[in-house]
Amino acid sequence: MKPFLDNPLILLSIPVRTTFRDLVDRLSTRKVPNTLLDTAREIYGSSCDISQPRALLYWLEVTDTEKDHLYLGEPGLSPRIKISTGYSSRFLLPARMAAVIICTIGPELETAAHTFAAEKQYLHSYLYEIMSMAVLEKTTEYINGIIEKEAAARDWGVGPLLSPGSVHGWELTDQAVLCSHLALDKIDVSCTDDGVLRPFNSLSFVVGIGPGYAERKISSPCTVCQNRDTCTESPPQAPLDLNGD
């Protein structure tokens, strides 16, 4: 079988590129006032180059997949990682291997949001938070591309993106278990005993790959999100007028 990339693959300079629309499309209203657009342009211009997306990507073997948990580990090596994925275990049943990822965009945008909030410039703070979401999503998309390419090289498919605390049955506290086995310090990330990642704009997730999957593209976490029935977020119903942007 074609060998996987170095384990872990350390990505210290992920080439994420956002657009102004990536920011504006995440605003809570479709009709964006010109004054808000002007402020959004200001935030976009000052923030698009200050984040530092980076990630760890581990290729681990999936073993002993059961109803509520499974084990991950390097082939022939110990210890294995036991993760309690609950209902979400079913999405890893076809997996031969799993891509285990920790990614972050760094603290820069988070710090800017806190600074403006402390100065009571809440709109600026809010826009920096929205920009953080856009950059983290682009970072995830870049990593997904690596996983999809590795699966395709073996003529395998891919499962959905699974993240602790976001999918049914996999509690956030189990993120601490997962992260305790990973070299988070290599990308300046930490995890509390409660499973909270720092910097805040960080994410852990697992994607199964193997010949038993039919999909070639990693599906959105929305497809398995525990809040999918009550989520109020939705994309704009019509393009926004961004004066040519």
Side-chain angles (χ1 to χ4, degrees):
M1 183 173 69
K2 180 181 183 293
F4 284 93
L5 301 172
D6 291 341
N7 204 20
L9 177 63
I10 304 174
L11 303 167
L12 296 180
S13 183
I14 296 177
V16 169
R17 293 292 179 267
T18 56
T19 66
F20 183 50
R21 181 169 290 280
D22 291 326
L23 171 60
V24 176
D25 281 354
R26 286 168 176 78
L27 298 179
S28 59
T29 178
R30 191 176 70 82
K31 294 182 178 180
V32 183
N34 288 334
T35 53
L36 178 54
L37 280 178
D38 290 342
T39 305
R41 290 179 192 279
E42 175 188 341
I43 298 305
Y44 174 76
S46 64
S47 65
C48 59
D49 292 326
I50 67 172
S51 61
Q52 299 181 44
R54 47 195 182 268
L56 295 176
L57 193 162
Y58 289 79
W59 296 107
L60 300 180
E61 187 177 42
V62 181
T63 60
D64 300 330
T65 306
E66 299 182 3
K67 180 179 179 181
D68 297 318
H69 69 271
L70 56 91
Y71 289 89
L72 302 172
E74 295 192 61
L77 299 179
S78 60
R80 296 182 300 168
I81 307 171
K82 179 183 178 181
I83 54 175
S84 302
T85 44
Y87 173 89
S88 298
S89 295
R90 66 183 59 195
F91 300 110
L92 290 165
L93 286 175
R96 180 80 59 83
M97 300 289 289
V100 179
I101 297 91
I102 302 290
C103 63
T104 184
I105 66 169
E108 292 80 13
L109 296 179
E110 178 185 356
T111 298
H114 289 168
T115 298
F116 278 105
E119 296 172 353
K120 298 184 179 181
Q121 296 188 55
Y122 299 118
L123 177 57
H124 286 68
S125 178
Y126 168 71
L127 289 171
Y128 270 110
E129 291 176 355
I130 297 299
M131 189 68 187
S132 298
M133 294 169 56
V135 175
L136 186 58
E137 181 176 318
K138 291 288 186 179
T139 301
T140 303
E141 289 175 357
Y142 179 87
I143 297 167
N144 284 353
I146 295 175
I147 300 169
E148 292 162 356
K149 183 178 179 179
E150 287 294 305
R154 296 160 179 78
D155 198 26
W156 288 358
V158 297
L161 187 154
L162 305 173
S163 183
S166 296
V167 293
H168 182 56
W170 195 7
E171 302 298 332
L172 180 63
T173 51
D174 203 51
Q175 184 161 251
V177 176
L178 178 65
C179 290
S180 67
H181 296 268
L182 310 178
L184 304 189
D185 59 304
K186 293 185 181 297
I187 56 170
D188 298 320
V189 172
S190 62
C191 184
T192 68
D193 293 340
D194 295 329
V196 178
L197 295 175
R198 292 287 185 264
F200 179 76
N201 295 302
S202 303
L203 180 69
S204 74
F205 62 95
V206 173
V207 176
I209 69 172
Y213 289 106
E215 298 298 326
R216 298 292 175 151
K217 292 289 185 181
I218 297 170
S219 61
S220 163
C222 296
T223 60
V224 292
C225 177
Q226 63 183 358
N227 296 319
R228 65 186 180 278
D229 294 330
T230 58
C231 181
T232 58
E233 291 193 14
S234 61
Q237 298 179 0
L240 297 172
D241 181 6
L242 303 183
N243 299 322
D245 286 88

